[in-house]
Amino acid sequence: MTIHKFAIADAPLERSPGQDGDIFVGNVLDQRHGGPVTIGFGRYGPTQSLEETMAVHDTMVILEGKSTVSDDHGSVTAGTGEVIAMQKGDKVTIRSHEDGAVTAYVTYPHWQEPDA
């Protein structure tokens, strides 16, 4: 596999599937590139919330702002330079704070089917 470098400007940000909030995601590396993981970026507007049952293992790195992830066992808040790990099957609520958030993510396996 070739070495890659990505910036958020490389991500084709689209509204997060299945919701109509101010939450956008964009893959920069996925199964189309032959690797086992998906890497991408996310942008959350101020005070946005997303409820999700994780279909994959997801590691979210906070690049700007803050995000809180909650489940039945509690919640964690992460800020710039911190990481939140969510496991396949976790039922979570991901919430951005008043300044929104910019994130990077790595999922295993791929979270999205490729375009036909």
Side-chain angles (χ1 to χ4, degrees), residues 21-74:
D22 188 13
I23 302 172
F24 294 83
V25 295
N27 296 345
V28 291
L29 185 123
D30 55 29
Q31 61 270 43
R32 295 170 294 182
H33 302 92
V37 300
T38 294
I39 299 171
F41 292 94
R43 189 185 77 223
Y44 294 74
T47 62
Q48 295 296 298
S49 183
L50 173 66
E51 293 186 15
E52 186 77 33
T53 298
M54 303 307 298
V56 297
H57 303 288
D58 188 332
T59 302
M60 181 170 62
V61 180
I62 311 303
L63 302 175
E64 297 176 15
K66 280 192 223 177
S67 287
T68 297
V69 177
S70 304
D71 66 9
D72 290 340
H73 306 287

Side-chain angles (χ1 to χ4, degrees), residues 110 112 115:
H110 306 290
Q112 190 175 40
D115 293 335

Side-chain angles (χ1 to χ4, degrees), residues 96-115:
S96 63
H97 293 254
E98 56 278 348
D99 293 329
V102 175
T103 66
Y105 56 82
V106 178
T107 72
Y108 177 83
H110 306 290
W111 70 272
Q112 190 175 40
E113 293 295 321
D115 293 335

